[in-house]
Amino acid sequence: HDCRNAARVQSFQPLAPYDFVCRHKHFVAFTHAPIVSSPNGQHRFRVLLQARLGPDDPSCMRHNVGVNPYPRTWVEIDLPALRHNLGLVREAVGDPAVKVALVAKADAYGHGLVPVSRFALQNGADWIAVATVQEGIALRDAGIEAPIIVISPILPVEADQAVFYRLRCVLERIETAEALNDAALEQSTRAIVHLEVDTGLARFGCMPNEAPGLAEAVRSLPGLQLEGLCTHFANSGRDPDRTIVQLEQFCEVIEKCR
């Protein structure tokens, strides 16, 4: 679920010093952690932005070394808008047994990974989807215990941390599955994984004809639990015909992997 429509830009006014700093290619975001109340009673929080001067700019450091504590630009997040959007998703899904995952990758699209994820889980989301192991770790460090799935392929070297922090991982290669299996056995647990199938986006995932064999190989690894399969539509909002073709192909793969 995309939370970008919940943001609006405000003009400058002094704010309390920031609580957390995250990196971005072009700016540094300072999350003002306490949720504040505006005059109209709506709850919001602020993500403060400051331009980076370059890759070695000290402002990209976690602490406030060389950073102006009062940046002149910030994004103000409208949490009731996020709650409303989640409600629309729940209404469209219909079945209360179906789990809804909020996609909070890339610092929740610049809206604040931890506060957006925590609020979403309290208002209709069941899972949080992130792009990297590091984002999943940040949520665990913030005390979030809900299921977290890493929807981009991880590196085998990240397997130990992924298992330790109880992150569900998406697989497209047997090498990653074997690394997660080894890490899980070493930690006396089982890692929960999903298999991604490329039905047309051509970004991540194994080919449809490879999926049954990979699923069988994953099931043979004692440290892994294959929980599900997934795919990514290429352009579901603008190309319904292609989306239907992808969905039909994905359903065929599911049947072959059962």
Side-chain angles (χ1 to χ4, degrees), residues 49-88:
L49 308 177
Q50 181 172 17
R52 287 183 59 177
L53 302 178
D56 298 323
D57 180 5
S59 66
C60 68
M61 297 178 64
R62 188 181 182 93
H63 302 290
N64 61 347
V65 178
V67 181
N68 179 1
Y70 301 106
R72 290 183 173 270
T73 308
W74 71 87
V75 178
E76 189 167 294
I77 311 303
D78 189 338
L79 295 175
L82 177 58
R83 181 192 297 117
H84 174 74
N85 291 346
L86 283 167
L88 293 179

Side-chain angles (χ1 to χ4, degrees), residues 4 11 61 78 126 164 190 232 248 250:
R4 281 173 289 187
S11 59
M61 297 178 64
D78 189 338
D126 303 292
F164 181 81
R190 295 187 77 194
H232 196 310
E248 291 175 346
F250 182 57

Side-chain angles (χ1 to χ4, degrees), residues 16-196:
Y18 50 83
D19 298 293
F20 178 77
V21 179
C22 66
R23 304 181 184 188
H24 188 276
K25 182 178 180 181
H26 300 299
F27 59 82
V28 180
F30 307 85
T31 300
H32 187 59
I35 294 178
V36 298
S37 180
S38 60
N40 62 5
Q42 292 185 331
H43 296 289
R44 307 170 187 271
F45 68 91
R46 293 165 177 151
V47 177
L48 315 180
L49 308 177
Q50 181 172 17
R52 287 183 59 177
L53 302 178
D56 298 323
D57 180 5
S59 66
C60 68
M61 297 178 64
R62 188 181 182 93
H63 302 290
N64 61 347
V65 178
V67 181
N68 179 1
Y70 301 106
R72 290 183 173 270
T73 308
W74 71 87
V75 178
E76 189 167 294
I77 311 303
D78 189 338
L79 295 175
L82 177 58
R83 181 192 297 117
H84 174 74
N85 291 346
L86 283 167
L88 293 179
V89 172
R90 275 291 183 194
E91 183 179 339
V93 170
D95 186 351
V98 175
K99 304 298 183 184
V100 173
L102 179 120
V103 180
K105 65 181 182 178
D107 194 35
Y109 297 94
H111 292 57
L113 172 66
V114 172
V116 163
S117 297
R118 182 177 288 122
F119 183 83
L121 290 168
Q122 296 168 349
N123 290 274
D126 303 292
W127 291 22
I128 300 296
V130 296
T132 67
V133 171
Q134 289 73 26
E135 290 174 338
I137 292 173
L139 292 176
R140 291 290 187 235
D141 285 345
I144 291 176
E145 295 297 322
I148 298 171
I149 183 167
V150 183
I151 57 176
S152 299
I154 74 166
L155 299 173
V157 72
E158 297 176 303
D160 285 337
Q161 286 190 317
V163 172
F164 181 81
Y165 285 96
R166 308 183 316 282
L167 307 178
R168 287 163 162 81
C169 294
V170 168
L171 300 176
E172 62 176 2
R173 301 171 56 206
I174 189 59
E175 291 83 359
T176 306
E178 291 171 344
L180 286 165
N181 177 70
D182 293 343
L185 294 179
E186 185 175 345
Q187 297 179 39
S188 301
T189 187
R190 295 187 77 194
I192 302 176
V193 298
H194 289 234
L195 181 61
E196 180 162 8

Side-chain angles (χ1 to χ4, degrees), residues 99 101 103 127 129-130 149-154 168-173 192-208 210-212 214-215 219 226-234 246-247 249-255 257:
K99 304 298 183 184
V103 180
W127 291 22
V130 296
I149 183 167
V150 183
I151 57 176
S152 299
I154 74 166
R168 287 163 162 81
C169 294
V170 168
L171 300 176
E172 62 176 2
R173 301 171 56 206
I192 302 176
V193 298
H194 289 234
L195 181 61
E196 180 162 8
V197 183
D198 180 11
T199 58
L201 181 64
R203 181 186 294 172
F204 302 129
C206 65
M207 292 295 100
E210 300 171 344
L214 182 55
R219 287 194 181 100
L226 180 59
E227 186 176 49
L229 281 74
C230 59
T231 194
H232 196 310
F233 294 133
Q246 283 189 262
L247 179 59
Q249 187 176 36
F250 182 57
C251 290
E252 292 175 4
V253 172
I254 291 175
E255 291 303 317
C257 291

